[in-house]
């Protein structure tokens, strides 16, 4: 059995992949989900395995409750009960104003970003909480600095979903503080990943980096460092709070 087991949603690409690789390098057995990009998921598993780590990729859509239940069950069968959860999977869609958004888009964003994180958190608490006989654990939610800025003209729906993640972090942290579980969030700024192409602007980071005090975009590995610290025992007195990894924005 493994001492440290992390379940990461959306680990096949971008920030989630960087978290998976750093976690494996720090001795975690890594179980991560992806939605559909099997080739990318297999490549992350191969990199971790070649480096001497352990990883398992599970196709599971966080917007589908049955998929999340299967993800947790698979992780338990393969490695054991997770000691850490990273709610990383998140989506945004084509940049537009609120008056242009249809309800199906809003439902997709909120189902994936909000309900997906809530259900994963619920499943983690059911297994980790000392109230339910668990051994405790740590949860890190990947929010966004957009929760503060609001995403005007681009994706207020996405930004609002991250606002909900911030409130989930605060409320759940207090709810389980006496049950061995710490809950924190990382709010990335603009990071070089493929998510920006989903909004219709693959080069967005380079456009907006002039507004970043450090005048550059972030790398996924820089987000992963904050996540792994929050998951670690070094953050033993840290709960219900946020690390903004934004280059000063
Ligand atoms: P990304 O490069 O687009 O990667 C998204 C990952 O999530 C992929 O592994 C994808 O799987 C997976 N995914 C998407 N929808 C999913 C679903 N319904 N169920 C399960 N997995 C799903 O995104 P990223 O930029 O790394 O973003 C990761 C997190 O950081 C998100 O929560 C995002 O909001 C947040 N964030 C990003 C930035 C930024 O500038 N990049 C800034 C602030 C916050 P497939 O490979 O199968 O598609």
């Amino acid at each position: 059995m493994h001492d440290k087991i992390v379940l990461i949603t959306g680990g096949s690409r971008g920030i989630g992949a960087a978290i998976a690789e750093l976690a494996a390098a720090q001795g975690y057995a890594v179980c991560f989900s992806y939605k559909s990009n099997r080739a990318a998921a297999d490549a992350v598993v191969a990199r971790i395995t070649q480096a001497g780590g352990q990883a398992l990729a599970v196709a599971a859509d966080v917007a589908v409750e049955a998929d999340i239940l299967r993800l947790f069950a698979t992780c338990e069968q393969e490695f054991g009960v997770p000691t850490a959860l990273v709610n990383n999977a998140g989506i945004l869609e084509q940049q537009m104003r609120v008056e242009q958004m249809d309800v199906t888009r809003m439902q997709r964003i909120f189902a994936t970003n909000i309900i997906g994180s809530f259900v994963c958190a619920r499943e983690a608490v059911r297994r980790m909480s000392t109230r339910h006989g668990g051994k405790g654990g740590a949860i890190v939610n990947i929010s966004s600095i957009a929760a503060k800025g609001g995403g005007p003209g681009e994706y207020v729906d996405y930004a609002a979903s991250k606002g909900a993640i911030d409130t989930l972090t605060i409320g759940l942290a207090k709810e389980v503080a006496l049950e061995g579980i710490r809950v924190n969030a990382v709010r990335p700024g603009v990071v070089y990943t493929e998510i920006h192409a989903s909004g219709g602007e693959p080069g967005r980071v380079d456009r907006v980096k002039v507004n970043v005090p450090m005048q550059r975009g972030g790398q996924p590995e820089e987000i992963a460092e904050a996540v792994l610290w929050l998951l670690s025992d070094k953050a033993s007195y840290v709960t219900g709070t946020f690390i903004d990894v934004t280059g000063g924005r």
Side-chain angles (χ1 to χ4, degrees), residues 53-210:
Q54 283 190 288
L56 171 70
V58 181
D61 183 343
V62 293
V64 178
E65 183 182 17
D67 281 18
I68 294 176
L69 300 183
R70 180 169 48 78
L71 171 65
F72 274 81
T74 307
C75 180
E76 269 183 75
Q77 279 159 20
E78 197 71 21
F79 294 138
V81 172
T83 60
L85 166 69
V86 182
N87 273 317
N88 166 77
I91 56 167
L92 51 76
E93 296 199 12
Q94 186 66 36
Q95 295 173 2
M96 63 178 68
R97 290 167 54 95
V98 169
E99 73 258 34
Q100 298 173 288
M101 292 175 186
D102 62 36
V103 167
T104 54
R105 166 192 165 120
M106 297 177 199
Q107 286 170 333
R108 282 194 299 272
I109 299 283
F110 297 155
T112 301
N113 296 5
I114 305 177
I115 299 176
S117 295
F118 263 83
V119 176
C120 287
R122 181 192 76 190
E123 293 306 309
V125 169
R126 285 178 177 174
R127 289 163 173 80
M128 293 174 178
S129 171
T130 54
R131 181 190 174 101
H132 300 298
K135 294 179 181 164
I139 298 173
V140 172
N141 298 319
I142 306 300
S143 174
S144 169
I145 205 64
K148 289 181 167 178
E154 295 187 328
Y155 24 66
V156 174
D157 53 353
Y158 167 82
S161 76
K162 296 302 187 175
I165 292 303
D166 287 4
T167 306
L168 165 65
T169 303
I170 293 164
L172 184 62
K174 291 175 180 169
E175 201 165 281
V176 299
L178 281 177
E179 300 167 24
I181 306 174
R182 295 180 302 98
V183 186
N184 293 288
V186 170
R187 282 188 292 231
V190 283
V191 181
Y192 287 101
T193 73
E194 292 166 358
I195 202 171
H196 306 288
S198 320
E201 191 185 2
R204 180 173 180 273
V205 177
D206 286 328
R207 174 174 63 83
V208 303
K209 70 183 181 188
V210 291

